[in-house]
Amino acid sequence: MTQIPSSRHSAFQVVTGLFSVPKAMRIGVGPTIAAVILVAIVLAAVLAPYYVPYDPLEMNAMARLKPPSDDFLLGTDPYGRDIFSRVVTGGRVSLLIGVGAAVVSVAVGLLIGLVAGYFRLADSIIMRIMDSLMAIPAILLAIALVALNGPSVTSVIIAITVPEVPRVVRLVRSVVLTAREEPYVEAAIALGSSMPKVLLQHLMPNTFAPLIVQGTYICASAILIEAILSFLGAGVSTEIPTWGNIMAEGRSYFQIKPGLIFWPGLMLSLCILAINLLGDTARDILDPRMKKREV
Amino acid sequence: QEETTITAVMHSGLRVLDPVITTAHITRDHAYMIYDVLTAVDENFTPQPQMASWETSDDGLVYTFTLRDGLVFHDGAPVTGADVVASLTRWGKRDSGGQLIFDVTESLEATDDKTVVWTLTKPFGPLIDVISKQSAVPPFIMPARVAETSADETITEYIGSGPFVFDQDAYEPGVSVTYEKFDDYVPRDEPASWMAGGKVVNVDKVVWTTMPDALTALNALSAGEIDYLEQVQIDLMPILSGNEDVVVEKRDDLGYVTIGRPNFLHAPFDNKLVRQAAMAALDQESMLATMQGDPEYYKVCGAIFGCSTPLGDEAGSDLLTGGANTERAKELLEEAGYDGTPIVLMAPTDVISLNNQPVVAAQALREAGFEVDMQSMDWQSVVQRRAQQSPVAEGGWNLFFTNWMVPEVSDPLVNVMLNGRGDDGWFGWPDDPEIEAMRTEYVSASDDATKKEIATRIQEHVMDNVNYLMMGEYIIPQARRSNIEDMIPSPVPVFWNMTKAAE
Amino acid sequence: MFFYILKRILATIPVMVIVAIFVFLLLRLTPGDPAAILAGDAATPAQLERIRDSLGLNDPLLVQFGTWMGQLLRGDLGTSLLSNTSVAGMIGDRLGPTLNIALMTIVISVALAVPMGVIAAWRHRSWVDFLVMSFSVLGFSVPVFVIGYILIQIFAIDLKWVPVQGYKSPTDGIGPFFSRAILPSLTLATIYIALIARMTRASMLEVLGEDYIRTARAKGVRENVVLFRHALRNAAVPILTIIGTGFALLISGVVVTESVFNIPGIGRLTVDAILARDYPVIQAMILLTAGIYVTVNLLIDISYSFFDPRIRY
Amino acid sequence: MEFKSKDFTDAKRVLKIRGLTVGLAGRPNADPVLRGIDLDIRAGETHCLVGESGSGKSVTSLTAMGLLPKDALEIQGGSIDLEGIEITQAKPAQMRALRARRIAMIFQEPMTALNPVLRVGEQIEEVLNMHSDLSRAEAKARTIDMMEQVHLPDVERIYAAFPHQLSGGQRQRIMIAMALILDPDLLIADEPTTALDVTTQLQILKLISEMQERHGTAVLFITHDMGVVAEIADTVSVMQKGRIVESAPIRQLLTAPKEDYTRKLLQAVPNLDPRAPRAPAEARDVITVDGLEMTYGGGGFFRASQGVRAAQDVNFTIQPGRTLGIVGESGSGKSTVARAIMRLIDPTAGKVTVAGTEIAQLSRRQLQPHRKHFQIVFQDPYRSLNPRWTVARSLCEGPINFGTSRADAMEHAAELMELVDLPRDALDRYPHQFSGGQRQRIAIARAVAMKPDLLVADEAVSALDVSVQAQVLDLLDDVQEKFGIAMLFITHDLRVAAQICDEVLVMQKGVVVEHGPAGEVLAAPRHDYTRNLIEAAPGRHWDFANFRALDRTTPVTGATL
Ligand SMILES: Nc1ncnc2c1ncn2[C@@H]1O[C@H](COP(=O)(O)OP(=O)(O)OP(=O)(O)O)[C@@H](O)[C@H]1O
Ligand SMILES: Nc1ncnc2c1ncn2[C@@H]1O[C@H](COP(=O)(O)OP(=O)(O)OP(=O)(O)O)[C@@H](O)[C@H]1O
Ligand SMILES: [Mg+2]
Ligand SMILES: [Mg+2]
């Protein structure tokens, strides 16, 4: 007798396995795929100089707007530059801007937020300034800041960071304000721990989980804002390809050369998707509340 | 009969309404709608009477203008000699050509309502040419009370005697401007030719709007939401190609020039050899090709006055037109003892027609051995920075690119880049007595042959001294719905003569 | 309540003052010269200098700031350096389009995003949830202008359902207004929907775990009533908050959308003003948008107590 | 002591559970949560379900309601028969129709179980809207009527009130009205009084039995309070680890429990007989509190507010090795006193002298060196340890703050683990890897690590179930004996106070109403408030540990159930 698998059961499992994607997410397939994609994109970007077929800046007036071919994998742009080389190289600065903006805003916001959350005196002054910064439309602030410093990578990072910082500060402050009512914080005070120690060792770790989510969000939106700034003519200098300025430069070619928007757009979307998914996963892992719920 | 309205998308938004204070093209275009001019050039570059006919005394010192009949301002007041005098005076304070004339003016007076007499202290040959020019600041005639505004302040009342009336209520700065046909305008009898001839208006209303997005403008035209698009990006023409209701065409053959301007005050461009090296390194063809794509719409041209103008001459321009001569550039740099001082090249990011040139130039210059520090900034920062005479380290600059319409460079007087008076000159400030001498000669020249001869010498001088880098000519085509017809092929887009048939 | 509102309104004063000072300083430090754009390309340095003088740009910073503040206190927003028209008038002309589009965007976003989020939370970890979440991540990851182009291509060019561009005020007829406003609103809404749907989902997930939801179910209440009557109102506060802070995002999106769809709104006005360094316009605009932002968030704060009776001021 | 002793053999069977097995959803091989439960409840009967925390009481009740959390738990076998309807097979719509009409439920936390944003009247009325065709006016009339039946005052006003505007007892009355408005056959009450203070608890218990009498409802009452069981049960089932280990009529269970587990459970219940006071020590007082006063809030920019006077004129002293208990109903100011002494809040007036130093007015910095003299243990074992820190790190924090080297502190921590009866190797674990009782022991160890003179325990055992509570109380006793620590023990449970305190201080609304040796205060209260408190303690006449009535009857007259 041949072995017959317990057919009903396994078929059922296969079907549920196929359709309940989120269950797969829970056990980590989603985050795994996301991690693989992200690592691939980052590697592709970082290693770009070693494998791209053309210098991403090299113009060739005779080869403008060529369709994809063996010579030009994804065709060429209006300057006759190789789109493939530009898109993969563009990831370098886009990611740098994303990560840079995220790291700087989180670090600065964390510092200010801890101070505001803990020292009542500083709180009201800091929060008024933060409110003001939040009230100024980010994009306008960014344009003005870029105009002030010139469209370098640093100015774009600064321009994106300045309006993000108040959000981080608010977040950190609110976490600190709630956490300082926790009995374990009171216990630490009763045990004679000094204020800085309570702040750094007990309160600050509480901010990590929400900060990771916020950080991934900032990272993603920074990459996007850079694109919008380029669209408005206030992005990173055209000498430095980024996904944002490739798209912005290619925007009027949307109907005749969609690749100029599609490819960087695809990279950007994949990247942001992956970053977001990983951020959520990291939050779930870090957040003790989540842990308790699962137990 | 239904009202006919033409909706046109112009190259930029109208914000400044004073044609004297600014040289912006859109303001000039606006001024041609609502104001009239005394005299104007026709398509043969020949001045013709428009509001007034003129007579010149034999010694060339007295010009008498006689206003034609039927000229009224939009508020109903007749145009008088006093209005003309006030308008010319204000213009003379701003326009470089006008300044030259007023430097030799003894008096300018209205002897009666219809007559204006302009008396000079010494002959000024091109006087009529200067007041007839169509760019950059033509002398538009306004009511005297408006023209009495200081030349450094903008006017606040927009009344002219031109073929269209400005609709103040519908005006939204930077967004849209509406003109209505001026029913009391009396056109001349001659057929329209450039800015001269009869300005017969065949539509009731013209609305100019601005579309910040090139693609949207194209789509709006194909969808029939607008009638006319002043500038079409050449690469995008395929989008319109299948649409029989849309015509893409060149309006006139003159077009624009794109130029690079070195800063004469600082190293390395204070050295003629280095400027020549830059000229050798750059290649018109590749710069124009990246800008325009289709060779139909650009022309390699070494004539600093434009290749199809009366004064145009390509003498001595081999280095410019013969492609990139990297070898020669290297030799010249060697000879000049170029020490690798980086060139600060200002690259605007927000003006599409100026995006490409610095990028292409940077690549070519680097290949020739220049150190190039290309600094991206918005156009406003360029505009501010190019006025800085300080050294590069303190916020100065070495090179930038800009564009002109051909008529704006077409003779030694209108072409501001030929000014050689150092600090009083245009950005870049060459102190060039030779060229100043030739310009003075030009002013006193009375016949065309002499003028042409002087122009050729100036051309040769510029090719040697590299006052600026002529980078070639290009044309931006326009697009219209096919029911818009009979537009005058003039460098300035004008809306008289034009008809709109029912679609 | 009254005292609370009064207090909040008073608290906006320092915020606006800081905004004013900040913006003023930022602008004056930014390179760029309104006189130069006014005069055009061919102007000589001497001419520029004279224009600068007549615009008051050569006065000491403090004097300029004082003049501006004085004007503001008299309710005068100043005059555009470029067009020489009153800033209040310019803004008045262009506020309508932006506000109408923004309003429509908010209505569309809330109407779509809240049910999406609710259902995603309800069917937590099902394919609906996955779909909603994927959509909202996507909404975050595609630049606004790309979305705009795609919508134009599909609905205006291929299907020809609506015009490509332009704006008509609702007073010119609801039809013309709607057909022109729908695409820009949808464009703007994508990111907003993403934001609200996410927050709704998260907040609902939290609430659905609460005891009173169990109580409602123990009473035999139907699921839709459980979700929308019992859960959603409790989840409302964070959703409202995100609608408020998302408003800032909306303002950024407006700038781009107005370009793509050629809408004569304040977003474009501001960007143009920044690029042209038309200081009075920029200053007024930033104060205005900051004011709108502060007001919207004040209104939202006040509305909390409507949704949650425990919140009393 | 009187027990209920009605015979139910002839009564109609309302609920019949057979072999009910519930396990983790999607994990058929994991240990089930319920392992074959059998249960019968008859009309008019009150059946109590008791057992330690986590034994499956709530899961049993939720299964009967068809309210198991779908993605976490699932029925793996057995049947639940509700008057002929098989609940395990019912469709969601069917189940919805049954709820409130046939089977209703009230929950432990009346605050969280009521929707905070809906008016309580509407919440009751919703039941009618869902299950009947009454017009709005009729529904409202029925609701008002029901609210009157549960003895709510000022019904019209309360109808329009939101939950947060009501007291705990009132909220629970609303829950009861909601559950009983359709006159269901079975009422499940999952710890309905645990969150209430004794006096309110008494009223609610009375109300439930009154309603039961009136409507002949069967009640499944879940609790871990044996006193409550003794007062209200007809029959009792004892649960342990997902099984019912014993099921018997109340008298039989309390007098002659068959199972060891039941015995253990009963023996852990402290009785209301106060302990014999220990001899006062010779040493000088560890703490002297003099005229302590605390007012919260007050001031305000626009409206000067009164503030809450949470403690007024509190005076007491404690000597080494002795325990002072503070009792009183919820909100009487007990925690306020504790926190003021700990200087977690700054008292508005009064003196607190600990180990010879006046600390009430010291600045934070000045206070720091004195912190080691007094330590605190909090109520909630889940929140009083930093979830991100290992036990070792938590235990070392205090000593390191006072200059002990890390190595010494670690050594000491290991000793402490032994002291509180936890394995040494548990030092590297995180709090979530421990049970509530174990965490509370760690918290005690952390406090003891400082070798304090005074230990403040604010409801340190209130969150624990009886058996664990007994262990922790033993531990505290041990520690006190070993180190001669003075203890301030705050509780609302008079049984616990009776067992552990030498002296008792009774607080009401921020004021001390009675203060004296535990024997005197608890056995012969002088103040009415104290008397009420004691009378309200359920099952106070029964000595659970010895399976008999208390031989000495407290000389108190007044209300009985
Ligand atoms: N949603 C859930 N997911 C997984 N396990 C659960 C869930 N709810 C309860 N359990 C498990 O079921 C068991 C019984 O829990 P239950 O809540 O019924 O205990 P209990 O007897 O009511 O305790 P307590 O007295 O603390 O309320 C516990 O071991 C618990 O871990
Ligand atoms: N931080 C605070 N701000 C304002 N009022 C407070 C604060 N903490 C407590 N109160 C009020 O002070 C009074 C006493 O509270 P406290 O916590 O001391 O009571 P308790 O006796 O410990 O009650 P429980 O048994 O419920 O713990 C209560 O009316 C409470 O509402
Ligand atoms: Mg339970
Ligand atoms: Mg308390």
Side-chain angles (χ1 to χ4, degrees), chain C residues 107-140:
Chain C
V107 170
I108 291 178
S109 316
V110 173
L112 290 178
V114 170
M116 273 166 64
V118 168
I119 289 172
W122 182 48
R123 289 276 168 255
H124 185 38
R125 290 178 169 163
S126 73
W127 61 269
V128 190
D129 186 16
F130 183 73
L131 221 67
V132 169
M133 285 296 81
S134 312
F135 175 81
S136 55
V137 177
L138 216 67
F140 272 109

Side-chain angles (χ1 to χ4, degrees), chain C residues 7 40 113 152 182 226 246 291 308 312:
Chain C
K7 210 169 107 186
I152 290 182
I182 182 75
V226 170
D308 190 339
R312 284 272 172 254

